[in-house]
Amino acid sequence: MLKTTAVAATFCAVAGAGIVGYGETTAQAAQAQLASSTTARHGHSDSFSGTKKIRVDGYSVNVSCSGRSAARKPVVVLMAGGGDGLDTMAGLQKSLSKKARVCSYDRLGEGESDQPDGTQTVNDSSRILTGVLDRVAGDRQVVLAGHSLGGLIAARYAPGHRDRVKGLVLMDATIPALTAGVSKAIPESATGMAAELRDQTIAVNEGQNPEKFIIADEKVRSAGNIPVQIIRHESQYAEVPDYGPALEEMWAEGQEQWRALSGRSRISVAPGSGHYIHVDRPDIAVKAIQRVTAQATAHS
């Protein structure tokens, strides 16, 4: 495997053809913390602990929930990066569920959920997310906390669902204009590992990934005046030293663009972290999600 694997993970955390393996360590570390699956039942909102399969838009979707609901407190929904299942969120979910109701799910093409029938866009992924929220949260408000591609999907979803999404935590979320960014940071004249990274990233963005998800460059839309915490990695690009500074600048600028989601957006760097912030610095991730949930509860 190319050493570009870990760097490509920073861009979108999608395991496409030739970009595989970077989710294995975190998945194995968290696997044992998940409960076994059970059979889903139909209903407007389910209150359960453990994992189960639910039907959404004709697909079987794997969902995990834990913790107890509290009056007026939003349900926290964790969204893994591309190429990762909900198991990579298990450690974070276990910590958060001591004080809140927390759920996570496998998007189509990931983990134990069904494969998508064809290419997916943000609208397709949003439709599945809405179905999941209907089942696990019902009429309750939610805080979405997403890593990498999960963060991008959460950020794209929130503006169109202001009645439901009352807070966001973006953990090194895929940037709003990734294809343009990487094309600028690594020019066509690049060779070797950098050239392969560029080509792989663009291919993944075009849908060559397990979710068949097209990661399109789009402007950031406002999600209202909700609390938004944006956390980015400290260092990730040592393996492509010639273009590392340009890639770091691209990523930092992209994270800044997410601030347009809300007038209450905050951005910070997680010291000592790579792309998997919730694994490298779970303390920072937990505190950020708890803080945003508290802010969302106070304004509900």
Side-chain angles (χ1 to χ4, degrees), residues 155-278:
R156 298 296 191 205
Y157 182 84
H161 300 84
R162 298 189 187 189
D163 59 329
R164 172 171 261 172
V165 181
K166 296 302 178 180
L168 287 170
V169 178
L170 308 182
M171 297 173 283
D172 225 28
T174 301
I175 62 176
L178 176 58
T179 297
V182 74
S183 297
K184 179 180 178 181
I186 304 178
E188 291 185 6
S189 58
T191 59
M193 192 176 294
E196 293 195 43
L197 171 61
R198 181 184 189 276
D199 293 344
Q200 288 174 352
T201 301
I202 292 173
V204 166
N205 293 351
E206 292 174 346
Q208 295 182 34
N209 57 72
E211 299 178 44
K212 300 179 182 178
F213 185 87
I214 296 177
I215 307 171
D217 290 356
E218 295 179 12
K219 292 183 178 180
V220 179
R221 294 189 297 137
S222 173
N225 199 35
I226 63 173
V228 177
Q229 178 66 58
I230 303 156
I231 313 172
R232 67 177 177 88
H233 68 256
E234 181 178 50
S235 178
Q236 183 68 25
Y237 301 107
E239 293 178 0
V240 281
D242 291 343
Y243 299 97
L247 290 169
E248 287 290 2
E249 182 179 0
M250 172 203 75
W251 197 256
E253 289 177 352
Q255 298 303 310
E256 287 287 341
Q257 290 172 20
W258 285 127
R259 297 186 69 170
L261 282 163
S262 170
R264 297 170 64 195
S265 295
R266 296 176 57 186
I267 189 166
S268 62
V269 176
S273 72
H275 185 49
Y276 281 81
I277 291 171
H278 56 297

Side-chain angles (χ1 to χ4, degrees), residues 69-75 139-143 166 292-300:
S69 298
R72 299 191 310 110
K73 195 170 187 178
V75 176
D139 295 331
R140 298 284 297 278
Q141 297 174 341
V142 301
V143 167
K166 296 302 178 180
V292 167
T293 302
Q295 292 171 340
T297 302
H299 289 81
S300 63

Side-chain angles (χ1 to χ4, degrees), residues 83-156:
D84 292 332
L86 58 79
D87 52 345
T88 62
M89 290 291 184
L92 186 58
Q93 182 168 331
K94 183 177 181 181
S95 297
L96 291 167
S97 61
K98 295 174 183 178
K99 297 182 179 180
R101 178 73 170 165
V102 187
C103 296
S104 56
Y105 73 105
D106 290 330
R107 291 188 300 276
L108 299 185
E110 306 288 7
E112 298 299 320
S113 290
D114 283 348
Q115 297 295 313
D117 290 334
T119 299
Q120 294 193 93
T121 65
V122 167
N123 289 337
D124 298 312
S125 189
S126 293
R127 186 168 60 251
I128 297 299
L129 176 54
T130 293
V132 170
L133 296 182
D134 287 344
R135 291 295 297 274
V136 304
D139 295 331
R140 298 284 297 278
Q141 297 174 341
V142 301
V143 167
L144 302 181
H147 168 242
S148 198
L149 181 60
L152 179 141
I153 292 172
R156 298 296 191 205

